[in-house]
Amino acid sequence: MTQIDFFYREFGTDRFIHENAAIGKEIVRVVPKSKYVAADMFFSSREKRWKNLSEFQGSGEKNDSAIFFEYAERPACIPALDMRQRDKDAKYIEDYTAAEMELYLEYRAEEARSRFAESNALDGNKIPKNIFAYEISTDTDSLAVGIKAREFVPVEKPVERQTCDETEETPEIRYDIRNGKIFETIEKFDIPEEIASFALGKLLEVASLFTGKNITAQKGSSSEETLLMMDYITNIPLEPNLFPVVNDEYAARLKFKIDRTNSRIFGDFCRKAGIKNHRMLRKSYIERPAALLTYMRVKSCGFRDVNIFNRVLSERNLYTQFDENCRRTDDQNLVFFCKKCIKARGETCTLNLLSKTTTGISGAHTDFAFADGIAMFRAYFKKIPQFLRAEIYREGFTPTIHDALSEISYKCENENKKFTYTKEQRSLEDDIDGFSFRLPTDSYKLCDIGMKMHNCVASYTDRVLYGKCTIVYAEKKGEYRICIEICGTEAKQELAPRNGEPGDEEKNALKKWHERHGIKE
């Protein structure tokens, strides 16, 4: 048995009206008045031509089964203007002959008409107006649901001069629950959300007939998401939400085989993935199917306590942390850190560190400091001293710890290069008002300055080696306060930490230093 639900566009609006009784009614195509049509026109099926709509009432074509549809002219393909020009510089109307002018004006008229048709071709929902109706067919015998777009024949000529037949194109998508297949007669077409939601409901009814169980699914926030859910239901009627999980790159390594009729498929997947099928997990899965992937990622990081899993699944900041850092199967930074931290401090303390990273509470770290820090932790783990490891397990990847790891990273990747200075350069070292102006002895010192002052001075190693500039730093009470770049006798840069402006105290010391050593600002 096949049921047809017919949705047709209400004339002059973007809305679609559901009316099964509309099937078989006469389709009256109407072109609204515009700058190209003097009055509303309708297509006379008797005379095969466009006529003034005011004639419809007494034309003998009027009947109770007629439904009016707006018929939008399709944009025409505008041919390139092909005309002879007197010479290459003939760009003005005065240069055209009468015959050429006639061709030019015809071209301009066709171009303007095509632009008008293009701007008028879509409704407010970006659906082509020539899709005047949708049919939803529900076949309970074949266990299939189809969506057809009833579409007018394309228009190639101006509508007031066109003759056309009754043929209509009917692009279709058909969801075959019995065989788990989706058929498309032509490429995908636009479907409004209200139509997609209605079709989803019909597909759930068919899926329930196929399985003997009540199948439910949440519609998407857009027609694209709703249609995607229909794809899932067609492929796994008993557990449609499991389909995107099984096909996720992270779960693909399980090589889980899909049985569309298996009523225990959810439990079978959990066993295959080593997941404990408990109440909290099922609740999270209903709300967010990707919770199964989150569980797998948490487990891969070395966690085993069920209370840890429950907390991760219920706190968005935590499951986002695991999902983003373990999304790729080859990204093992979070896995490496968690296993080391769990061994040193236990599961609860490790999870608290991760929570502290994402909640923005006092002492929290920026996303960059965490992502960069955890990558360096894994890459240079053997070079990290025990005291710094213990601090990381206790505090996490704070900005200070990030700087310490950056210094280790720099030293692992770069050979230390000693700097040699001329007598003139060495004369720049001085002590003024408690500030010690000094030259860095080597590239590792330059790296230390950059890490502590949060600037890029470590990248100046080659410039210092080849004499292109001189770097001078000023510290007070063991703290870097100023970083200076000198070229010749000119100070090109004089910056405080984080490339900020020096304060009054630093400016006074700098002024005296300039005067003593003949440095220009």
Side-chain angles (χ1 to χ4, degrees):
M1 177 180 176
T2 301
Q3 176 187 341
I4 302 293
D5 289 276
F6 194 80
F7 289 81
Y8 64 88
R9 188 193 299 273
E10 183 178 7
F11 186 80
T13 74
D14 301 333
R15 299 190 299 271
F16 284 85
I17 299 173
H18 180 205
E19 183 184 345
N20 290 331
I23 298 174
K25 290 187 177 181
E26 181 185 357
I27 298 171
V28 180
R29 311 179 189 209
V30 178
V31 180
K33 177 182 177 181
S34 70
K35 64 180 181 179
Y36 293 104
V37 182
D40 294 342
M41 307 291 290
F42 83 99
F43 184 76
S44 170
S45 58
R46 289 186 178 183
E47 300 180 30
K48 302 296 182 182
R49 66 185 183 89
W50 292 92
K51 298 175 62 178
N52 195 305
L53 185 60
S54 61
E55 301 176 38
F56 184 77
Q57 298 296 330
S59 65
E61 298 187 66
K62 180 183 177 183
N63 59 74
D64 295 334
S65 66
I67 303 177
F68 293 89
F69 294 104
E70 180 179 351
Y71 186 53
E73 182 180 2
R74 295 284 180 91
C77 180
I78 303 300
L81 181 60
D82 184 15
M83 62 170 59
R84 179 182 60 82
Q85 291 184 331
R86 292 158 61 104
D87 54 60
K88 293 182 180 180
D89 297 325
K91 299 178 182 178
Y92 301 99
I93 290 177
E94 291 83 353
D95 295 323
Y96 293 144
T97 65
E100 288 173 338
M101 178 62 73
E102 183 179 3
L103 286 174
Y104 176 72
L105 292 176
E106 285 182 5
Y107 172 82
R108 287 292 301 271
E110 289 295 320
E111 180 184 42
R113 179 147 199 153
S114 181
R115 290 185 183 278
F116 174 82
E118 182 178 12
S119 64
N120 194 50
L122 304 178
D123 67 15
N125 296 317
K126 307 301 181 184
I127 304 293
K129 290 182 180 178
N130 275 308
I131 296 179
F132 62 86
Y134 292 88
E135 288 182 15
I136 312 297
S137 60
T138 307
D139 190 336
T140 53
D141 293 329
S142 300
L143 298 177
V145 172
I147 307 175
K148 286 185 179 180
R150 297 289 299 278
E151 188 174 16
F152 289 127
V153 174
V155 175
E156 297 179 354
K157 298 179 181 179
V159 291
E160 68 268 29
R161 300 200 307 265
Q162 181 180 353
T163 60
C164 58
D165 55 29
E166 299 297 315
T167 305
E168 290 153 357
E169 296 181 345
T170 52
E172 179 182 14
I173 303 176
R174 186 174 177 83
Y175 300 88
D176 183 348
I177 289 287
R178 174 168 289 162
N179 299 301
K181 295 182 178 180
I182 301 169
F183 302 94
E184 296 182 47
T185 54
I186 59 173
E187 62 183 31
K188 288 198 173 183
F189 50 92
D190 297 286
I191 301 176
E193 171 55 26
E194 58 186 304
I195 310 298
S197 297
F198 184 88
L200 172 61
K202 290 297 180 180
L203 190 65
L204 290 172
E205 292 177 11
V206 171
S208 297
L209 288 174
F210 176 66
T211 62
K213 297 180 178 292
N214 183 29
I215 306 298
T216 60
Q218 293 182 340
K219 70 174 184 177
S221 58
S222 65
S223 62
E224 289 79 9
E225 291 183 3
T226 300
L227 292 172
L228 188 60
M229 176 54 67
M230 294 178 70
D231 291 350
Y232 297 157
I233 293 169
T234 305
N235 283 278
I236 309 183
L238 284 171
E239 198 60 57
N241 287 321
L242 192 60
F243 187 80
V245 176
V246 172
N247 285 277
D248 186 89
E249 181 184 2
Y250 193 81
R253 55 193 171 90
L254 296 175
K255 297 181 179 179
F256 181 75
K257 294 183 179 180
I258 297 173
D259 181 354
R260 300 177 58 255
T261 61
N262 181 8
S263 61
R264 299 188 298 273
I265 191 170
F266 178 81
D268 289 348
F269 177 83
C270 289
R271 280 187 289 276
K272 182 78 171 179
I275 295 173
K276 291 183 179 179
N277 185 1
H278 52 81
R279 183 178 62 83
M280 182 65 184
L281 176 67
R282 290 192 295 274
K283 179 183 177 182
S284 299
Y285 166 74
I286 291 171
E287 297 174 353
R288 186 177 62 90
L292 294 178
L293 297 171
T294 305
Y295 194 111
M296 292 172 61
R297 289 160 180 155
V298 174
K299 184 172 179 288
S300 72
C301 288
F303 293 95
R304 296 295 180 267
D305 187 343
V306 68
N307 295 313
I308 294 291
F309 289 97
N310 288 342
R311 182 180 168 191
V312 172
L313 293 175
S314 62
E315 295 183 23
R316 181 170 183 175
N317 65 301
L318 283 174
Y319 70 66
T320 299
Q321 175 79 283
F322 283 95
D323 288 347
E324 290 184 353
N325 284 281
C326 297
R327 186 174 299 279
R328 301 195 315 273
T329 54
D330 62 340
D331 189 351
Q332 295 294 306
N333 294 335
L334 184 65
V335 174
F336 184 87
F337 169 73
C338 287
K339 288 183 175 179
K340 294 294 183 182
C341 194
I342 289 172
K343 185 176 180 180
R345 299 208 60 204
E347 293 186 31
T348 302
C349 289
T350 301
L351 191 67
N352 287 339
L353 272 183
L354 297 178
S355 178
K356 183 177 168 183
T357 300
T358 58
T359 54
I361 60 175
S362 177
H365 336 298
T366 63
D367 290 340
F368 173 78
F370 177 81
D372 202 31
I374 202 170
M376 290 187 291
F377 178 84
R378 179 188 173 205
Y380 308 107
F381 180 76
K382 293 182 179 179
K383 300 290 185 179
I384 300 173
Q386 289 293 339
F387 78 89
L388 183 55
R389 293 184 194 176
E391 189 175 354
I392 292 171
Y393 298 146
R394 186 174 59 253
E395 301 296 334
F397 296 97
T398 63
T400 301
I401 290 175
H402 175 272
D403 291 344
L405 289 173
S406 296
E407 185 173 357
I408 292 172
S409 170
Y410 181 88
K411 290 179 178 179
C412 286
E413 295 177 1
N414 298 277
E415 177 187 354
N416 190 20
K417 298 177 180 179
K418 298 290 184 180
F419 296 147
T420 58
Y421 297 104
T422 64
K423 183 177 180 180
E424 183 180 3
Q425 286 175 311
R426 291 196 175 280
S427 68
L428 296 174
E429 295 189 322
D430 207 341
D431 293 293
I432 300 174
D433 296 343
F435 284 87
S436 296
F437 290 81
R438 296 290 182 267
L439 300 168
T441 55
D442 51 41
S443 60
Y444 281 5
K445 183 64 174 180
L446 209 58
C447 171
D448 184 62
I449 296 169
M451 295 302 154
K452 300 290 175 56
M453 296 191 71
H454 302 282
N455 62 31
C456 62
V457 74
S459 65
Y460 281 60
T461 296
D462 288 344
R463 298 186 66 184
V464 174
L465 282 172
Y466 297 116
K468 293 183 178 180
C469 73
T470 302
I471 299 297
V472 179
Y473 66 93
E475 59 181 355
K476 187 173 185 179
K477 296 180 180 180
E479 179 183 359
Y480 297 121
R481 303 285 286 274
I482 315 170
C483 187
I484 309 164
E485 179 189 1
I486 303 292
C487 291
T489 58
E490 182 182 353
K492 293 194 68 176
Q493 296 186 82
E494 295 178 328
L495 298 171
R498 301 183 185 277
N499 290 329
E501 280 290 317
D504 291 340
E505 185 181 18
E506 287 80 9
K507 286 181 178 179
N508 289 333
L510 279 170
K511 184 178 180 181
K512 293 178 181 179
W513 183 71
H514 290 163
E515 291 172 351
R516 286 188 187 182
H517 301 281
I519 301 298
K520 302 175 184 177
E521 294 188 50

